Amino acid sequence: MFQSATAIYVHIPFCARKCGYCDFNAYSGYKDGTKARYVEALCREIEAVGDGSLIQTIFFGGGTPTNLAASELTRILTTLKSHFVIATDAEISLEANPSDADRSYLTTLRQAGFNRISFGVQTFNDRLLKLIDREHSGEAARRAIEQARAAGFDNVSLDLMFGLPRQTVSDFERTLDTALSLEIPHLSIYGLIVEEGTPFFARRERGKLPLPPESSEATMFGKALEKTKEAGLTRYEISNYARSGYACRHNRVYWRNEPYFGLGAGATGYLNGARRVNIRRPSAYIEAALAGKELAITQETERLTQDETMGETMMLGLRLAEGIALDDFSERFGVRAETHWAQTIAILTTQGLLERTPTHLRLTDPKGLFLASEAMAPFI
């Protein structure tokens, strides 16, 4: 059942400012000296775990990776190349803040080998950007895209959000129209989820977070489906749309529940049927890594049973537009999904949330897509 890992996730936990809706392992206020020590610690972890595996995709996420100097990001990537075999056509992605998109900075990264960049734009509306604690403006986001292209990035992605405080359907449509007019080949379009423990959650509990009604959110989601299709982008996952050849290869590893290395503070890796989570706090991670305590870097390890792995594979795979490839599932686990979950699949199909094709089981469009959480929950 075990597969070789062909993907690497690298976590950079630093941000200039942490947004009120963010529940990721991200921190602001760290000085350059600490960041330099973090890079050293991360390179030590890479040296410890690098096993020469052939890697097809690398993804630098955060936090905000571009909160580091270009030379620091280059050093991390160079260390990866020294301890793994990186495929010549590997997809090497970098999440970026539009405010960090200086052309010389981006040119250095492109020359280092990064070939895909994803900007956290969220909206082009300056009023809404302030409400969600973003530091860039709509114009800065446009300039960032121009600078990235000038630096040699043709694989550009934008993160957009709907359901933001005080956001109207018209607000979202204008942001979507702007993104599509810029001919962006990949869009990730997410509905705002107010997570417990975030400032947004506390504000909502106090009645101070004016979110749009659910009916407006449903309309915004429908607009995303409609306008991206008209513009020639294909929805290949619940929240992701791409032109031909631009679907994110790295994220497909997650959605197919395949193994990957997770490196950095708070990073999750999935290897040999076990999920490993690193120490979250950058200071503690740095101390452990620089002391050469490879095992001490790991905060938590969970070994999954086959039933748990099958359930997660179903849940994640249903996020993809094509859904679960039934023969592939059977080959991987020695069990037919449609037999193992026969009653569950029958109920969800009757409810109009799932449908069967000759080769796949997938969410219906649009009902299953909009109620994806309800459709996926019974499998885990």
Side-chain angles (χ1 to χ4, degrees), residues 290-311:
L290 293 184
K293 301 175 182 176
E294 180 188 344
L295 293 179
I297 294 172
T298 303
Q299 180 171 294
E300 177 186 339
T301 300
E302 178 189 11
R303 184 161 295 281
L304 304 179
T305 66
Q306 173 155 308
D307 278 351
E308 289 170 334
T309 304
M310 289 195 303

Side-chain angles (χ1 to χ4, degrees), residues 83-104:
H83 293 83
F84 294 91
V85 177
I86 311 301
T88 55
D89 64 343
E91 175 193 86
I92 305 178
S93 301
L94 178 77
E95 289 184 339
N97 187 330
S99 300
D100 301 326
D102 173 81
R103 180 171 175 178
S104 63

Side-chain angles (χ1 to χ4, degrees), residues 2 58 115 159 162-163 195 208 244 263 296:
F2 294 152
I58 303 172
N115 53 30
D159 283 355
F162 63 88
E195 301 284 4
K208 301 293 185 180
S244 178
L263 307 172

Side-chain angles (χ1 to χ4, degrees), residues 171-217:
D171 289 333
F172 177 68
E173 280 196 85
R174 282 191 288 270
T175 278
L176 194 53
D177 289 341
T178 298
L180 295 172
S181 72
L182 295 169
E183 299 185 344
I184 303 299
H186 187 283
L187 296 176
S188 296
I189 306 175
Y190 303 104
L192 174 67
I193 298 176
V194 181
E195 301 284 4
E196 189 171 356
T198 63
F200 269 28
F201 183 87
R203 286 169 56 187
R204 189 180 67 180
E205 292 298 289
R206 298 194 306 268
K208 301 293 185 180
L209 192 68
L211 298 173
E214 187 175 303
S215 58
S216 293
E217 287 194 49

